[in-house]
């Protein structure tokens, strides 16, 4: 959990007042009604409204994602994200990981920020992220269940927003960024996981161009990272599958094809798009 004496930029999701730590177990706002939020034993807080709660990745998807990521297949993606952050954003600033999942990238980003905030609408994901931070002795991280469409963060308080394979909400990310702050969107290139798709489908479609890419912020830099991986063991192949959008749109017949393979060779093809807020 983040050091409560550091600058803390979280606002109350109900009344937008400033939030302060009350001991180690409670966050309280200084508004008229003093809304209070319990900090879980794993170290995260639920700031989602009842309407927003319950969405995002399931417990099973979170487990699959952790199992896959912990083997280092996507470490080059984490390294490139950290490199771009250190090149393009102010050093030792406040960073937000919007749609942080189980915190694999958040934890690495925290090494070069004074404070890093991870938000995700999935409670199991945020719980896993907070546990990871504890395991890795990171004490400049704050995790909350919250929607990326309505981040509980004051306007203009972040030096960078990182958005990795999660919904990109330009207006909201621009709101929380300082002038001169950067948004790094990490998203799939056309050949991403082509090997996986070749096993699953007879007719392969290229990945769609994302409709939610920023349109108003200035594109500073764009870079592609492409490399091959071999995923050994069907359990690991199925973990990779469970963390992709294909998991939700593949027929049982096609899934059976994947269940029969022992190893998978595939491309990883990632685009890093860096945007700047100018005013
Ligand atoms: C593909 S996962 C990526 C997670 C993480 N960034 C990573 O790459 O490991 C997408 C994440 O976005 C989260 N998500 C989806 N809709 C969201 C929303 N409206 N607000 C916050 N998080 C959301 C999901 O719960 C999930 O954890």
């Amino acid at each position: 959990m983040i050091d409560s004496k550091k600058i803390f930029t979280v606002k109350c999701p109900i009344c937008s007042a400033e939030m302060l730590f009350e001991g180690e177990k409670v966050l309280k706002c200084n508004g008229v009604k003093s809304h209070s939020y319990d900090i879980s034993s794993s170290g995260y807080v639920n700031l989602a409204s009842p309407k927003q709660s319950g969405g995002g990745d399931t417990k099973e998807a979170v487990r699959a994602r952790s199992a896959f990521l912990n083997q280092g297949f996507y470490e080059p993606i984490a390294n490139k994200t950290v490199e771009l952050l250190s090149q393009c954003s102010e050093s030792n600033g406040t960073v937000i990981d919007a749609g942080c999942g189980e915190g694999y990238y958040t934890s690495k980003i925290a090494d070069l920020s004074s404070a890093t905030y991870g938000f995700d609408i999935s409670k199991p994901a945020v719980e896993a992220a907070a546990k990871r931070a504890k395991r890795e002795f990171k004490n400049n991280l704050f995790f909350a269940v919250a929607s990326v469409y309505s981040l509980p963060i004051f306007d203009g308080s972040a030096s960078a927003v990182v958005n990795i394979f999660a919904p990109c909400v330009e207006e909201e990310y621009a709101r929380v960024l300082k002038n001169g702050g950067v948004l790094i969107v990490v998203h799939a290139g056309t050949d991403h996981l082509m090997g996986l798709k070749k096993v699953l489908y007879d007719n392969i479609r290229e990945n769609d161009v994302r409709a939610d890419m920023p349109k108003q912020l200035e594109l500073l830099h764009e870079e592609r990272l492409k490399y091959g991986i071999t995923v050994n063991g069907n359990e690991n192949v199925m973990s990779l599958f469970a963390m992709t959008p294909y998991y939700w749109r593949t027929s049982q017949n096609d899934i059976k094809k994947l269940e029969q393979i022992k190893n998978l060779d595939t491309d990883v093809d990632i685009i890093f798009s860096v945007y700047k807020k100018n005013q």
Side-chain angles (χ1 to χ4, degrees):
M1 180 55 77
I2 209 160
D3 180 349
S4 54
K5 289 170 209 80
K6 286 203 172 127
I7 299 163
F8 189 60
T9 60
V10 175
K11 65 177 184 177
C12 176
I14 298 173
C15 68
S16 294
E18 193 184 347
M19 296 265 257
L20 301 163
F21 285 91
E22 197 174 81
E24 298 209 329
K25 301 237 154 46
V26 176
L27 260 185
K28 213 169 204 172
C29 86
N30 67 2
V32 183
K33 294 201 171 164
S34 294
H35 299 110
S36 104
Y37 304 86
D38 291 340
I39 297 166
S40 76
S41 55
S42 1
Y44 73 93
V45 61
N46 191 342
L47 299 178
S49 69
K51 239 175 145 184
Q52 295 165 337
S53 293
D57 273 8
T58 60
K59 211 174 191 167
E60 292 70 35
V62 170
R63 211 174 285 143
R65 186 175 298 283
S66 286
F68 182 82
L69 291 174
N70 285 342
Q71 292 182 63
F73 292 112
Y74 281 7
E75 199 175 332
I77 304 177
N79 291 343
K80 179 55 75 181
T81 307
V82 167
E83 182 189 317
L84 287 171
L85 254 182
S86 69
Q87 283 170 359
C88 304
S89 79
E90 77 180 27
S91 61
N92 233 4
T94 297
V95 180
I96 293 171
D97 186 356
C100 63
E102 54 73 73
Y104 174 77
Y105 301 98
T106 334
S107 192
K108 297 191 186 313
I109 288 163
D111 292 340
L112 65 145
S113 69
S114 63
T116 298
Y117 297 82
F119 297 108
D120 199 289
I121 202 62
S122 156
K123 199 168 147 188
V126 174
E127 181 168 20
K131 284 183 178 165
R132 179 189 283 281
K134 266 195 178 172
R135 247 188 351 259
E136 296 180 5
F137 302 106
K138 304 279 166 94
N139 59 7
N140 60 342
L141 277 160
F142 174 86
F143 285 106
V145 180
S147 171
V148 293
Y149 289 88
S150 163
L151 292 167
I153 285 279
F154 287 110
D155 296 2
S157 42
S159 45
V161 174
V162 171
N163 180 235
I164 307 177
F165 306 128
C168 183
V169 191
E170 179 179 18
E171 204 178 325
E172 183 62 355
Y173 301 163
R175 179 186 71 74
V176 298
L177 279 174
K178 298 175 178 175
N179 288 339
V182 297
L183 164 64
I184 302 183
V185 185
V186 180
H187 52 115
T190 46
D191 296 336
H192 189 48
L193 301 182
M194 194 49 94
L196 179 75
K197 291 204 289 189
K198 278 185 181 159
V199 176
L200 287 172
Y201 310 122
D202 297 330
N203 299 314
I204 297 161
R205 273 186 25 203
E206 272 190 1
N207 292 328
D208 294 332
V209 177
R210 281 178 61 153
D212 61 356
M213 290 303 286
K215 293 169 186 68
Q216 307 295 327
L217 293 166
E218 180 198 356
L219 181 63
L220 266 191
H221 175 77
E222 198 153 64
E223 174 165 352
R224 187 173 189 179
L225 173 71
K226 198 169 167 184
Y227 59 96
I229 56 171
T230 300
V231 183
N232 291 314
N234 186 263
E235 203 182 324
N236 292 326
V237 173
M238 296 316 284
S239 288
L240 170 62
F241 175 58
M243 58 185 259
T244 68
Y246 312 119
Y247 182 78
W248 303 104
R249 34 173 131 118
T250 302
S251 70
Q252 281 306 315
N253 270 348
D254 286 338
I255 293 177
K256 276 193 191 128
K257 294 188 235 162
L258 201 63
E259 283 169 347
Q260 282 159 16
I261 64 162
K262 287 208 175 94
N263 305 315
L264 176 80
D265 289 316
T266 187
D267 277 337
V268 171
D269 180 17
I270 305 298
I271 312 287
F272 298 80
S273 304
V274 184
Y275 299 85
K276 185 175 178 196
K277 177 176 173 177
N278 287 319
Q279 47 168 357

